[in-house]
Amino acid sequence: MLYQSLKNSQYQVNFYQAVIQGLSPDKSLYFPNTIPKISKEWIKNILKYDIQKIAFDIIYPYIENIIPSKILESIIEKTLYFPIPLKRVYNKTYVLELFHGPTLSFKDIGAKFMAGCLEYFLQKGENQQITILVATSGDTGSAVAHGFYGVSSVEVIILYPSGRVSNLQEKQLTTLGNNITALEILGTFDDCQNLVKTAFLDKTIQKKRTLTSANSINIARWLPQMFYYFLAYQQLKEKDSKIIFSVPSGNFGNLCSGMLAAKMGLPVYHFIAGTNINDTIPRFLKSGKYYPRPTHITLSNAMDISNPSNFSRIWHLYEKNLFKLQKKLSSYSFTDDNVLEAIKDVWKEYNYMLDPHGAIGYMALQEYLKYSKDSDVTGIFLETAHPIKFFDKTPKILQKNISDNQFLNKFLNKEKKSIILTNDYKKFKEWLLKK
Ligand SMILES: *Cc1c(COP(=O)(O)O)cnc(C)c1O
């Protein structure tokens, strides 16, 4: 399997190169050259397979002999070590809980898988030591930090905006130590991102360190997200109905992996992308015009993105044809008020607690079903974070119902260790070169 740059199909690399490089040399995203097909027979037999086999069969054609099967099996085992349950909320509406990993967001899955791949590549000695630089508004940084914790050939440096992440998020970023360093930047998330971007282009730094990023642009973080779409299908009783996935979306990596799973042969009738008021994609699907607006801060902060990088992959998957894409994907946007209402309603009606991101997935599904003329549809929305992660954003009267103190205590009792820097690039560079 080769991967091509979405801008220029001349750039073709294998799995190893695509993972190490992250972005292609023309600063575009890598995409598989061909999409492997899963047979109808395999789908029919899915109840006979264990989680390991499902994950292995799906990912193997994307990697082939670049990672030996035994190693790939052990990477999968270390990735999928927590439950990913599909639960009925009511009738034919299900929730897929993706938050049972160490940092309570779905990003744990991609981050751990990517860490396993990089660890293997570095042990093989093709690169000795790698530095991962991540700017985070909260969830990415902690998932990457936990994924790579203890992988000695990888040094992780996380930049986060001081005072702008939740208490629990900050503890998850700053209490690990070992090969993880947290830089607390006196500035915004955009400042953090600019420092990282400038460092990637800096020749002096490149001479000293091999830098890699770890966001969903990297195929090793993006592809394994397909696993849980198949695992949801395996758990679903109504396998013959029209299955719809509703995905709360920011950078659109999660949704895009589901769409890739469907192209491989997973029977999915339709996809829905829920967004907050950063609504570039719902507007695009209506008008065919792509024009991002300035990013707004919302309660679902992991989705505060107005120019989603993975959309180019979705666009490519549907041959840059708006009509074809509209047939497979609907998209709706929601305000913070909508989110708070939904959290209250769903708790009152069904005794289920949503987080602000999952709430958008839930509402998007409801919106679609309101207009759908299809009978026999089964809807699955993705719950991408545990509600406790966004405790302070939950309506006050409901906070007492979020009880999972074992999670809280694990992080909250540890001591925060961060290095405080301003948003001045020169200082950051000085620090990075000295370290
Ligand atoms: C990152 C994140 C999202 C958005 O996922 P994308 O793949 O960027 O669309 C949604 N919810 C939570 C909780 C997240 O951390």
Side-chain angles (χ1 to χ4, degrees), residues 105-107 139 248-254 302-303 355 357 384-385 390:
S105 92
F106 80 98
K107 293 191 173 74
D139 282 353
S249 296
N251 221 353
F252 282 68
N254 197 0
M303 289 156 50
D355 96 294
H357 304 80
T384 45
F390 299 94

Side-chain angles (χ1 to χ4, degrees), residues 262-382:
K263 286 270 181 190
M264 285 181 78
L266 182 71
V268 182
Y269 180 70
H270 199 73
F271 286 95
I272 305 164
T275 72
N276 56 34
I277 55 169
N278 298 291
D279 61 349
T280 307
I281 300 307
R283 284 188 286 112
F284 173 75
L285 283 178
K286 256 198 213 118
S287 69
K289 296 201 178 85
Y290 190 93
Y291 54 101
R293 293 181 183 145
T295 310
H296 295 285
I297 294 173
T298 74
L299 290 177
S300 47
N301 64 12
M303 289 156 50
D304 292 348
I305 295 170
S306 50
N307 192 6
S309 29
N310 279 289
F311 192 68
S312 62
R313 283 182 171 140
I314 294 178
W315 194 223
H316 178 85
L317 206 52
Y318 286 86
E319 298 151 46
K320 304 190 179 180
N321 181 320
L322 185 64
F323 181 68
K324 279 186 189 165
L325 183 59
Q326 284 167 333
K327 265 177 49 182
K328 200 70 184 177
L329 176 67
S330 303
S331 188
Y332 310 100
S333 72
F334 300 92
T335 64
D336 281 352
D337 284 344
N338 297 149
V339 165
L340 294 173
E341 270 317 297
I343 294 176
K344 282 189 222 158
D345 284 354
V346 172
W347 175 257
K348 198 167 134 222
E349 293 289 324
Y350 311 115
N351 217 26
Y352 189 83
M353 188 63 69
L354 296 168
D355 96 294
H357 304 80
I360 287 180
Y362 169 82
M363 286 187 286
L365 179 60
Q366 300 310 310
E367 191 69 14
Y368 175 83
L369 293 177
K370 230 177 12 195
Y371 301 108
S372 161
K373 292 186 186 73
D374 290 306
S375 57
D376 196 29
V377 290
T378 302
I380 300 172
F381 68 94
L382 272 46

